[in-house]
Amino acid sequence: MHSLLSKAGLPVIGIFSELSADERAALMSGLETQPLKRGDVLVRQGEAADALYIVISGRFSVTLDGRREPLTEIGPEQPIGEIAFLTGGTRTATVTAMRDSLVLRLGRAEFDSIAAKCPGIWRTLTASLAQRLAATTSISQPSAPDPRPRTIAVIRAGGAHVPERFLDQLNAVFSASANTLVLNSARAAELLPPLDSAEATQALNQLESSYDYLVFLADAELTPWSQKAIRHADLVLAIATPDADPAPNALEQLAAAFVDTEARRLVVVHERRAPLSGTARWLRRRSVAMHHHVALDDRSTMARLYRFINGSALGLVACGGGALCAAHVGLYKALLESGFEFDIVGGTSAGAAMTGAFAMDKHPDDIDRGTHDIFVTNRAMQRYTWPRYSLLDHRHYDTQLSRYFGGVNIEDLWVPFFSVSTNLSSYQLHRHDRGDLFEAIRASSSIPVLLPPVYTPEGEMLVDGCLLDNLPITTMHALKSGPNVVVSFDIPELERFDVKYESLPSRAELIRMSINPLTRGKLPAAPGLTTVLMRSLMAGRDDFLRQMKQDDVLFVPPIPADMGILDWHRHAELVRNAYWWGLEEVQRLKRARHPLIAAVEATATAR
């Protein structure tokens, strides 16, 4: 037991910092070693606190009942459960092993026996505990755990074999940016004690302190090394190849049993970068946080995977805003020309359509021409119908939209994409990150009343995402860590309307005045239904500011003061203005030495 700690014995940390050397030695005599496997619960909320623990090696998450996200994480040489133990209370949280771990346990009977022999221990620990409780209550929020993985297991998915070229590129990309150790079963046998021993777990955790990343290459089958690699990993990458059998194998089944969905990713490896298809068959039988495509002839795709893992992936989040969203295209063009490379894009309503085109790798000039074709030449939002299900002819609108987005699945895009819609069945935000791209964009931009909702096979009713989240930055945060370009607009304030309410005509008067050319021009100059509806949907659009994180950067391209939300015919003007403004804004950020620019330049250097 004593060999598992340093020669100094009990760590001089936390509530033990005020103990004398003799008192720490006395406590050491009552400690026993307890190994835990990944997923084992060390202490459970609500149970009696019958022991305190000290982490020798490993990693633990602290969670509260009813909350999915951990409050914090606990690492080596940190105590667990000491407050409840010394105060005689019950556990206030659940502590679970995040990987194979070792702890020292001091039970109630052993502690009472030691305290009887050394009464000073109790007085010292009580004073230290009071100080710690005072410090704890002064902190409004617990520290958030570091979301970046340190240990990564690479396993094969389905019937695939992990290509050697993939492993070579993975090693090269990781080693170029971080101190990385790659271990396969042969190398592990050289460096580690027997895998089933507590010393092996401790040795792996000690290696972690010497490297930024440990990458475990699992065997092709479920060997002892494969099991150890999976149980000890913060992140599991399941490697697929397009033509292999997608049925999950024993390695994946073990990973599903021990590793949370948020820590599992599917990586589909392709010989070359070309149009994709068939990814859905791999995702259909797996629960993973995300999937990624890597092309062996395009190193940038491996670099993108690395950025997702190390928490530096660059995102683009686009807002809704009708015709104003054409400004996204000009800004996107300026950012591309300034060296920005986006790893994931997403948006709401018309912003979803623009980022969908970005994810398809369309050139900004082509997107601008497509905007003109859909909304100006073919007047997608100007063909009205009998108002039974909507005001606009949705068949005509869908036809125009599908000519550009039809026949593409989101999971087959090289650049990850998402959109959001409002689920009127559950009154919740609905995220679209798989399935038909056209349907995802159509649902996100399904303006209530103007267009009929989109209905899912489960019978759920989806309408425009701007009702709940016009700028889905929280959705982007849920998918990844790292910086984001966030695009919003300052909506021009329309002039006050000099309209007398009592002048609005009745139904009969409206029909009579509308069909009589002599009185048609005498209708009150009040905003129409479409204008009122669109401006209503834009209310409360600044809520996203409270959700932005330190790494997020807000871009607000200029909008002409006299431009309306349905003025699609002015798209080229918006694109041009946003493009030149975007170039100037990037130069301003460069002069200010903004961290976003440093991140962009680092990515460009890696390419």
Side-chain angles (χ1 to χ4, degrees):
M1 174 184 68
H2 291 243
S3 64
L4 296 174
L5 287 178
S6 65
K7 294 181 180 179
L10 191 70
V12 187
I13 55 175
I15 62 169
F16 306 117
S17 59
E18 300 301 323
L19 294 176
S20 68
D22 290 342
E23 289 170 336
R24 286 198 299 273
L27 282 181
M28 279 289 294
S29 66
L31 294 172
E32 63 180 37
T33 305
Q34 180 176 335
L36 295 101
K37 291 186 176 181
R38 185 189 192 111
D40 286 351
V41 175
L42 181 62
V43 302
R44 194 178 299 276
Q45 184 175 341
E47 292 182 346
D50 59 351
L52 69 80
Y53 303 90
I54 303 169
V55 181
I56 301 173
S57 64
R59 195 173 179 184
F60 293 82
S61 66
V62 181
T63 57
L64 293 178
D65 290 349
R67 287 187 55 173
R68 185 175 183 180
E69 295 297 322
L71 291 175
T72 188
E73 294 177 4
I74 300 174
E77 297 195 349
Q78 293 296 314
I80 295 176
E82 74 284 5
I83 294 178
F85 177 77
L86 294 173
T87 58
T90 58
R91 303 298 187 189
T92 58
T94 297
V95 180
T96 307
M98 301 176 66
R99 61 173 69 150
D100 287 2
S101 304
L102 288 173
V103 299
L104 293 178
R105 181 184 186 276
L106 179 63
R108 175 71 61 191
E110 291 79 9
F111 176 77
D112 290 343
S113 175
I114 295 169
K117 299 175 183 177
C118 303
I121 286 180
W122 182 254
R123 291 192 299 271
T124 303
L125 291 182
T126 301
S128 297
L129 178 61
Q131 295 175 1
R132 185 168 183 187
L133 285 172
T136 300
T137 55
S138 68
I139 301 174
S140 58
Q141 294 291 337
S143 59
D146 187 345
R148 294 171 298 181
R150 297 286 304 281
T151 56
I152 303 164
V154 177
I155 66 175
R156 65 186 185 90
H161 293 280
V162 182
E164 286 296 329
R165 288 176 60 199
F166 170 83
L167 296 177
D168 291 341
Q169 289 190 21
L170 181 75
N171 188 17
V173 169
F174 269 74
S175 298
S177 303
N179 188 15
T180 304
L181 175 65
V182 178
L183 289 176
N184 57 18
S185 56
R187 184 63 173 152
E190 296 175 2
L191 296 179
L192 303 177
L195 295 176
D196 59 352
S197 66
E199 287 77 10
T201 297
Q202 184 188 16
L204 282 173
N205 285 306
Q206 287 175 343
L207 280 174
E208 182 184 343
S209 65
S210 302
Y211 293 90
D212 297 316
Y213 292 103
L214 297 182
V215 179
F216 307 134
L217 306 182
D219 294 328
E221 304 303 329
L222 195 57
T223 62
W225 165 244
S226 298
Q227 296 181 50
K228 191 67 173 179
I230 291 170
R231 291 202 312 266
H232 203 85
D234 297 330
L235 174 69
V236 174
L237 301 179
I239 312 303
T241 51
D243 297 330
D245 181 359
N249 58 45
L251 295 166
E252 294 179 280
Q253 291 168 1
L254 182 70
F258 280 97
V259 183
D260 291 341
T261 299
E262 291 75 13
R264 302 197 305 268
R265 293 173 182 257
L266 175 72
V267 181
V268 186
V269 180
H270 310 265
E271 285 293 326
R272 60 191 60 84
R273 182 159 182 165
L276 302 174
S277 63
T279 309
R281 72 190 189 102
W282 286 94
L283 294 172
R284 198 171 294 123
R285 300 173 64 176
R286 290 169 175 82
S287 295
V288 293
M290 284 191 71
H291 72 280
H292 307 269
H293 293 284
V294 170
L296 296 179
D297 69 340
D298 185 352
R299 183 186 171 109
S300 69
T301 58
M302 181 68 79
R304 172 174 293 145
L305 173 62
Y306 172 79
R307 290 192 292 273
F308 271 104
I309 292 173
N310 84 342
S312 63
L314 178 61
L316 172 63
V317 191
C319 67
L324 307 184
C325 289
H328 287 109
V329 180
L331 176 60
Y332 178 68
K333 181 178 181 180
L335 295 175
L336 290 184
E337 292 182 3
S338 300
F340 284 63
E341 180 179 350
F342 293 101
D343 299 305
I344 179 172
V345 297
T348 300
S349 198
M354 299 306 173
T355 51
F358 300 163
M360 295 172 68
D361 202 25
K362 299 295 184 182
H363 191 279
D365 293 344
D366 293 333
I367 300 173
D368 186 37
R369 283 189 286 269
T371 301
H372 186 89
D373 179 50
I374 293 173
F375 295 104
V376 181
T377 302
N378 290 289
R379 303 164 63 90
M381 297 192 69
Q382 293 177 284
R383 181 177 291 185
Y384 291 87
T385 185
W386 184 257
R388 171 62 177 85
Y389 302 103
S390 62
L391 292 178
L392 294 177
D393 180 357
H394 71 284
R395 292 289 181 87
H396 176 65
Y397 178 84
D398 291 354
T399 297
Q400 305 311 316
L401 204 65
S402 64
R403 289 193 296 115
Y404 289 87
F405 298 108
V408 177
N409 286 329
I410 297 173
E411 57 266 32
D412 291 327
L413 296 171
W414 282 99
V415 177
F417 164 83
F418 72 88
S419 68
V420 296
S421 61
T422 298
N423 189 326
L424 291 184
S425 297
S426 62
Y427 297 106
Q428 295 178 335
L429 199 67
H430 186 99
R431 186 175 83 196
H432 304 262
D433 54 9
R434 296 184 189 179
D436 185 63
L437 177 62
F438 162 76
E439 182 176 298
I441 293 172
R442 173 63 178 80
S444 185
S445 59
S446 185
I447 305 168
V449 181
L450 286 185
L451 292 164
V454 169
Y455 298 93
T456 70
E458 295 76 25
E460 295 175 312
M461 182 191 301
L462 307 180
V463 298
D464 200 307
C466 72
L467 271 70
L468 292 182
D469 195 352
N470 193 60
L471 210 168
I473 184 64
T474 54
T475 301
M476 182 66 85
H477 290 158
L479 289 170
K480 73 163 188 73
S481 302
N484 298 293
V485 168
V486 181
V487 187
S488 186
F489 306 127
D490 286 332
I491 302 297
E493 294 185 5
L494 297 181
E495 71 278 7
R496 294 181 181 273
F497 292 95
D498 186 16
V499 177
K500 295 181 179 180
Y501 178 76
E502 60 271 14
S503 69
L504 298 178
S506 66
R507 181 181 68 169
E509 292 172 332
L510 180 60
I511 294 175
R512 185 170 60 253
M513 295 176 71
S514 297
I515 63 177
N516 186 344
L518 298 178
T519 59
R520 189 180 304 155
K522 297 181 180 180
L523 287 169
L529 173 62
T530 301
T531 299
V532 174
L533 175 64
M534 292 296 292
R535 286 195 62 81
S536 298
L537 295 178
M538 295 299 105
R541 55 187 290 118
D542 291 335
D543 288 347
F544 73 91
L545 292 173
R546 297 196 298 268
Q547 308 300 330
M548 290 185 62
K549 295 185 178 181
Q550 185 176 359
D551 288 342
D552 299 329
V553 181
L554 179 63
F555 285 73
V556 186
I559 303 296
D562 61 341
M563 183 170 180
I565 295 173
L566 294 177
D567 289 343
W568 286 102
H569 62 283
R570 297 179 65 178
H571 66 91
E573 175 187 355
L574 270 183
V575 171
R576 182 174 59 254
N577 291 349
Y579 169 72
W580 290 111
W581 177 87
L583 292 177
E584 293 177 358
E585 184 67 6
V586 171
Q587 291 303 314
R588 185 189 69 81
L589 293 175
K590 286 183 177 180
R591 290 192 295 272
R593 297 183 179 180
H594 195 282
L596 177 66
I597 299 301
V600 170
E601 291 175 346
T603 299
T605 300
R607 292 199 298 268

